[in-house]
Amino acid sequence: MKRWLIKNGTFVTMNEQLPQFQGWMAVEGSEISSMGEGVPPEEEIVAASEVMDGAGLLFMPGLINTHGHAAMSLLRGLGGDLALQDWLQNHMWPMEAKFSGDDVFWGTSLAAAEMIKSGTTTFVDMYDHMTRVAEVVDTAGLRASLTRGVIGLCSVEAQNAKLAEAIAFAKDYHGAADGRIRVMLSPHAPYTCPPDYIVKFVEAAHDLDLPIHTHMSETAAEVQQNVRDYGCRPVEHLDRLGVFSRPALLAHAVHLTDEEIALLADRNAAVSHNPVSNLKLASGVARVPELMKAGVTVSLGTDSAASNNNLDLFQEISIAALLHKGVSGDPTVIPAAEALRMGTVYGARSIGLEGVTGRLKAGMKADFIALSLNKPHFVPHTDYVSHLVYAASGADVVHVWADGKQLMRNRELLTLDEERILSEAERCFRRLRA
Amino acid sequence: MKRWLIKNGTFVTMNEQLPQFQGWMAVEGSEISSMGEGVPPEEEIVAASEVMDGAGLLFMPGLINTHGHAAMSLLRGLGGDLALQDWLQNHMWPMEAKFSGDDVFWGTSLAAAEMIKSGTTTFVDMYDHMTRVAEVVDTAGLRASLTRGVIGLCSVEAQNAKLAEAIAFAKDYHGAADGRIRVMLSPHAPYTCPPDYIVKFVEAAHDLDLPIHTHMSETAAEVQQNVRDYGCRPVEHLDRLGVFSRPALLAHAVHLTDEEIALLADRNAAVSHNPVSNLKLASGVARVPELMKAGVTVSLGTDSAASNNNLDLFQEISIAALLHKGVSGDPTVIPAAEALRMGTVYGARSIGLEGVTGRLKAGMKADFIALSLNKPHFVPHTDYVSHLVYAASGADVVHVWADGKQLMRNRELLTLDEERILSEAERCFRRLRA
């Protein structure tokens, strides 16, 4: 197994002990094998088949994007600045209805290229044609938690067919690509899936021992609808249906009462906060400081490029840190280190990968990125965590590794053909719009 | 005079007619001489001493940053996530008190490097040691509106000396650097300058025919103080003192009543909206949709890198477009084109340069930038204005020109020594902190 070494690097580990240091890190196969301050010990140098000089580079865990629909990158920039229902009904859905497996493949490839180029090494994807998404993940070398998102506003036969497809995908792909692919089960949302259908997902999740991922309380309107249709708000509704008897990841969770926050904390459910998408679609501002204070794990997602309109998780990290200060009036909420944990450690925790990725630590997977520090916006070198949160962007990332394999070197993608992807994605869009 | 030509480019002009087109643009000396769709006419090609192929590039006006304190880039990342007074009194002021002209020179150089690299060609700067700032502007080739910001909480002698310095700077530098430098007069804020002192600035501004730039209503606390000390809110206070008898640019303007908004519109005062700084310092969210609806010119500023923590105006444009949708609940407010105007056309209007810069148009100064379109986050090529606002960052800028002169080529600075600036800025910071 190849063993190699980085020396002279600046490391932001996200560990509680030794969160930052100047030093070295060794990688063996897919894992971080050892690391330390100062110069590497002689035996590490001897054991390494290759030594990389990390001077001028900051190494940190690859970012974790916990909610998105990668293939929708094909719809970036389509119908912006519109009211939600107009945007969905007149721009998104007519295009998505035409998506073939090929469109999903190239749209997801486009997203994968963008994510690698902006420092994301693990992502959650909820969409259709998931075998094509898995194909991209396998080739790209990324880590992903994939899930067939299912809307249940259809006949029982159609419902059963979709559920069967989601289960078949889970059986075939959970643990695929050397374990880089994990699977979750996804009733799309409480307002798009009848209660008895959601219960079937809960049962399947128990049978297969999988987590559940769903949209919840993104807009005030869907919360009102839930109260009208089911006599309670979405958190209580999902709790009654047994969703929180499984590890659960809830996307958005913008509109919550104190009682709902307490219930989420009690049930150990995680939230994927999508601040840019929530702002752009005018859904509102999630109560993130309150969620975190209650002990809920809050991670970050971009949602799709259609409502963002990029997949740069550094932007979500920055906006998560900024937005809640401005809205709460308290400049001490979500300090830089906490925002960075939302994009790394808490991301891993949200999807059951806390011991696997999201930190730089011996024994964990070698999912990490390197940023160039020789940029005006990183000077002076006062506080690297602050710079990563408030000054960086995905464009500062120069190298990316996942599962020990290099995916980008000097901003050149090594596992994907970027030029072809841009051209095929453009071609797919032109055909869909025709 | 050198005349040269760009062909095969994508142009986003910010003009009402022909806002976007594929075509060509000719530059003669410091000005845009002509432009058009399709291929350039034969006589343009003959007249050009050089023809640049603009394929794959998007050309747009250089961005205009209408509020900042460039030298404070030396304090980037110092004391973040703190309450405002703690941050100011224990971190900013003790360091700034030690600033020498040399520190201002290198701090401003650092800011200039960052601004050029992120596509800004015109900036407003309010600080001290302004002759050193002017020196940087002259060398960098940027356009700037400079002003000695004066705090009047001192003896009358000290007040008079500061005012005299501001006036002398105006007399010496207004119109300097081939007209690229303009000067404004700046009482720092209503809460840091006694009323009679502000009146002296108004008189001087009339004598010298200069605009006034000041901070106003950044925090709720300073508004309350104004009411307590002067019996009215800041807009009425400044109006009584005659500030709006001059062209006036007000930084922040976060806390405004409907009556104040109407008064600002009536007086034709402009506002520099600084969304990132306002969020980071938890000052609040300015009423930008209401200001714009009332007809107030609203442009964008980064404020200093100490409270941002970068000078990427693309980030301000994006956050201006996103924030007000999320907070108002209306996804149609500040659409992409309007956000882009805030960073260009409205920026120019805010500082009296509307006929000079902020648009691509024959007869206007050749202040423009080129972004590479061959990036995953710009695909598909649906809507360039949307992409510039919601997907771009300053790192996408590859070339920069101001006043007809190229300042950056393929991300390499041509007028500034980037490597030396980073090292000198780091050195200044270490010495200040020692």
Side-chain angles (χ1 to χ4, degrees):
Chain A
M1 210 156 21
K2 187 186 167 190
R3 189 177 170 107
W4 63 285
L5 188 71
I6 297 160
K7 63 174 186 179
N8 297 329
T10 297
F11 293 86
V12 173
T13 65
M14 306 311 293
N15 297 320
E16 289 187 20
Q17 300 196 327
L18 213 55
Q20 295 184 39
F21 64 87
Q22 301 287 324
W24 58 276
M25 183 170 84
V27 175
E28 186 167 10
S30 66
E31 290 183 2
I32 296 167
S33 54
S34 50
M35 57 198 311
E37 291 179 273
V39 294
E42 189 56 33
E43 64 269 24
E44 290 287 350
I45 296 171
V46 171
S49 63
E50 192 185 318
V51 177
M52 175 185 170
D53 187 358
L57 294 173
L58 182 151
F59 297 86
M60 64 172 287
L63 302 178
I64 300 174
N65 184 346
T66 60
H67 183 66
H69 315 282
M72 290 180 77
S73 288
L74 283 191
L75 306 181
R76 186 197 321 271
L78 195 69
D81 305 319
L82 298 174
L84 182 66
Q85 288 309 315
D86 182 6
W87 175 72
L88 277 176
Q89 291 172 17
N90 300 320
H91 298 271
M92 293 296 109
W93 293 345
M95 292 289 274
E96 287 188 276
K98 293 193 262 177
F99 269 32
S100 66
D102 195 50
D103 295 318
V104 169
F105 178 81
W106 290 113
T108 305
S109 297
L110 179 65
E114 188 188 351
M115 286 192 279
I116 295 171
K117 296 200 92 167
S118 53
T120 290
T121 54
T122 298
F123 72 107
V124 170
D125 198 55
M126 184 201 285
Y127 213 63
D128 195 359
H129 301 281
M130 293 309 293
T131 59
R132 303 305 305 274
V133 175
E135 202 181 326
V136 175
V137 173
D138 191 17
T139 305
L142 289 162
R143 194 176 303 285
S145 198
L146 304 181
T147 173
R148 165 62 160 107
V150 174
I151 292 181
L153 304 173
C154 50
S155 69
V156 173
E157 292 70 30
Q159 281 185 359
N160 289 340
K162 287 180 182 179
L163 175 60
E165 186 190 321
I167 289 172
F169 177 73
K171 285 181 175 168
D172 290 347
Y173 285 89
H174 190 59
D178 301 321
R180 284 186 284 111
I181 294 178
R182 308 276 183 120
V183 177
M184 302 193 286
L185 292 181
S186 287
H188 171 272
Y191 72 98
T192 56
C193 292
D196 60 339
Y197 194 42
I198 292 178
V199 169
K200 288 184 187 170
F201 277 84
V202 174
E203 286 166 0
H206 275 286
D207 291 346
L208 299 166
D209 193 21
L210 294 178
I212 291 179
H213 180 36
T214 190
H215 296 92
M216 188 192 75
S217 304
E218 180 177 3
T219 67
E222 73 188 66
V223 174
Q224 286 162 10
Q225 185 182 329
N226 204 94
V227 171
R228 194 183 63 221
D229 291 352
Y230 306 121
C232 63
R233 294 172 63 94
V235 175
E236 189 181 341
H237 179 63
L238 293 182
D239 190 49
R240 286 183 195 169
L241 300 178
V243 167
F244 304 132
S245 66
R246 297 301 312 162
L249 174 61
L250 307 163
H252 304 299
V254 175
H255 299 276
L256 298 175
T257 62
D258 291 346
E259 292 69 28
E260 285 179 296
I261 290 173
L263 191 55
L264 289 176
D266 183 70
R267 299 299 193 261
N268 209 20
V271 164
S272 178
H273 177 41
N274 295 194
V276 172
S277 176
N278 295 159
L279 291 174
K280 184 157 192 287
L281 298 175
S283 305
V285 178
R287 300 179 62 196
V288 173
E290 292 88 342
L291 281 164
M292 294 177 90
K293 196 172 172 195
V296 175
T297 297
V298 182
S299 54
L300 293 169
T302 54
D303 210 350
S304 86
S307 62
N308 189 301
N309 295 342
N310 64 47
L311 303 178
D312 182 353
L313 207 77
F314 277 104
Q315 188 185 5
E316 304 296 327
I317 291 170
S318 161
I319 292 191
L322 292 168
L323 176 63
H324 301 288
K325 292 177 173 63
V327 168
S328 70
D330 178 357
T332 70
V333 300
I334 314 189
E338 192 71 347
L340 205 55
R341 280 189 282 265
M342 292 170 80
T344 54
V345 183
Y346 301 161
R349 191 180 295 167
S350 293
I351 53 174
L353 294 180
E354 193 167 12
V356 177
T357 188
R359 288 188 289 154
L360 302 184
K361 193 177 176 187
M364 287 179 69
K365 289 295 181 186
D367 295 355
F368 63 100
I369 62 180
L371 289 82
S372 167
L373 290 172
N374 295 320
K375 308 241 175 163
H377 58 272
F378 289 150
V379 171
H381 291 168
T382 30
D383 179 339
Y384 293 121
V385 169
S386 169
H387 288 355
L388 289 170
V389 171
Y390 296 118
S393 82
D396 297 317
V397 178
V398 287
H399 311 302
V400 174
W401 292 262
D403 217 42
K405 182 178 176 180
Q406 190 159 13
L407 310 187
M408 182 169 82
R409 182 187 298 134
N410 293 320
R411 295 204 59 74
E412 191 194 339
L413 297 181
L414 303 178
T415 53
L416 298 174
D417 181 344
E418 184 175 354
E419 194 179 333
R420 177 158 185 219
I421 289 169
L422 301 195
S423 137
E424 296 282 0
E426 191 73 39
R427 178 185 61 77
C428 289
F429 172 72
R430 304 272 155 204
R431 207 199 64 248
L432 288 164
R433 198 170 56 173
Chain B
M1 211 158 19
K2 187 186 168 190
R3 189 177 169 106
W4 63 285
L5 188 70
I6 298 161
K7 64 174 186 179
N8 297 329
T10 297
F11 292 86
V12 172
T13 66
M14 307 310 295
N15 297 320
E16 290 187 19
Q17 299 195 329
L18 214 55
Q20 296 184 38
F21 64 87
Q22 301 286 323
W24 59 275
M25 183 170 86
V27 175
E28 185 168 11
S30 66
E31 291 183 2
I32 296 167
S33 54
S34 51
M35 57 198 311
E37 292 179 275
V39 295
E42 188 57 31
E43 64 269 25
E44 289 287 350
I45 295 172
V46 171
S49 63
E50 191 186 319
V51 177
M52 175 185 170
D53 187 357
L57 295 174
L58 182 151
F59 296 86
M60 64 172 287
L63 302 178
I64 300 174
N65 184 345
T66 61
H67 184 66
H69 315 282
M72 290 180 77
S73 288
L74 282 191
L75 306 181
R76 186 198 319 274
L78 195 69
D81 306 319
L82 298 174
L84 181 67
Q85 289 307 319
D86 181 8
W87 175 72
L88 279 175
Q89 292 173 14
N90 300 319
H91 297 272
M92 293 296 108
W93 292 345
M95 292 288 274
E96 287 188 276
K98 292 193 260 177
F99 269 33
S100 65
D102 195 52
D103 295 317
V104 168
F105 178 82
W106 290 113
T108 305
S109 297
L110 179 65
E114 188 189 350
M115 285 192 279
I116 296 171
K117 297 201 91 167
S118 53
T120 290
T121 55
T122 298
F123 71 107
V124 170
D125 198 55
M126 183 201 286
Y127 213 64
D128 196 358
H129 300 281
M130 293 310 292
T131 59
R132 304 305 306 274
V133 175
E135 201 181 325
V136 175
V137 172
D138 191 17
T139 305
L142 289 161
R143 194 176 303 285
S145 198
L146 305 181
T147 174
R148 164 63 159 109
V150 174
I151 291 181
L153 304 173
C154 49
S155 68
V156 173
E157 291 70 30
Q159 281 184 358
N160 289 340
K162 287 178 181 181
L163 176 60
E165 186 189 321
I167 290 172
F169 176 73
K171 287 181 173 167
D172 291 346
Y173 285 90
H174 190 58
D178 301 320
R180 285 186 282 111
I181 294 178
R182 308 274 183 121
V183 177
M184 303 193 287
L185 292 181
S186 286
H188 170 272
Y191 71 97
T192 56
C193 292
D196 60 339
Y197 194 43
I198 293 178
V199 168
K200 289 184 187 171
F201 277 85
V202 174
E203 286 165 1
H206 276 285
D207 291 346
L208 299 165
D209 194 20
L210 294 178
I212 291 180
H213 180 36
T214 189
H215 297 92
M216 188 192 76
S217 304
E218 180 177 2
T219 66
E222 74 190 63
V223 174
Q224 287 163 10
Q225 185 182 329
N226 204 94
V227 172
R228 194 184 63 223
D229 292 352
Y230 307 120
C232 62
R233 295 174 62 94
V235 175
E236 189 182 341
H237 178 63
L238 293 182
D239 190 48
R240 288 183 193 168
L241 299 178
V243 168
F244 305 132
S245 66
R246 297 301 311 160
L249 174 61
L250 307 163
H252 304 299
V254 175
H255 299 276
L256 298 176
T257 62
D258 290 347
E259 293 69 28
E260 286 180 294
I261 291 173
L263 191 55
L264 289 176
D266 183 71
R267 299 299 193 260
N268 210 19
V271 165
S272 177
H273 177 40
N274 296 194
V276 172
S277 176
N278 294 161
L279 291 175
K280 185 157 192 284
L281 298 176
S283 305
V285 178
R287 299 178 63 196
V288 173
E290 291 89 343
L291 281 164
M292 294 178 87
K293 197 173 172 194
V296 175
T297 297
V298 182
S299 55
L300 293 169
T302 53
D303 209 351
S304 85
S307 62
N308 190 300
N309 294 349
N310 64 47
L311 303 178
D312 182 354
L313 207 77
F314 277 105
Q315 188 186 6
E316 304 297 327
I317 291 170
S318 162
I319 292 189
L322 293 168
L323 176 64
H324 301 289
K325 292 177 172 63
V327 168
S328 71
D330 179 356
T332 71
V333 299
I334 314 188
E338 192 71 349
L340 205 55
R341 280 189 282 266
M342 293 171 79
T344 54
V345 182
Y346 300 160
R349 190 180 296 166
S350 294
I351 53 174
L353 294 179
E354 193 167 12
V356 177
T357 188
R359 290 188 288 153
L360 301 184
K361 195 178 176 185
M364 287 181 66
K365 290 295 183 186
D367 295 354
F368 63 100
I369 62 180
L371 289 81
S372 167
L373 289 172
N374 295 320
K375 307 242 177 163
H377 57 272
F378 289 150
V379 171
H381 291 168
T382 31
D383 179 341
Y384 293 121
V385 169
S386 170
H387 288 355
L388 288 170
V389 172
Y390 297 119
S393 82
D396 297 317
V397 178
V398 287
H399 311 302
V400 174
W401 292 263
D403 216 43
K405 181 177 175 181
Q406 190 159 11
L407 310 187
M408 183 170 81
R409 183 188 296 134
N410 292 320
R411 295 205 60 73
E412 192 194 336
L413 297 181
L414 302 179
T415 53
L416 297 174
D417 181 344
E418 184 175 353
E419 193 180 332
R420 177 158 184 217
I421 289 169
L422 301 195
S423 134
E424 295 284 359
E426 191 73 39
R427 178 187 60 77
C428 288
F429 172 71
R430 305 271 155 205
R431 207 201 61 248
L432 288 165
R433 198 170 57 174

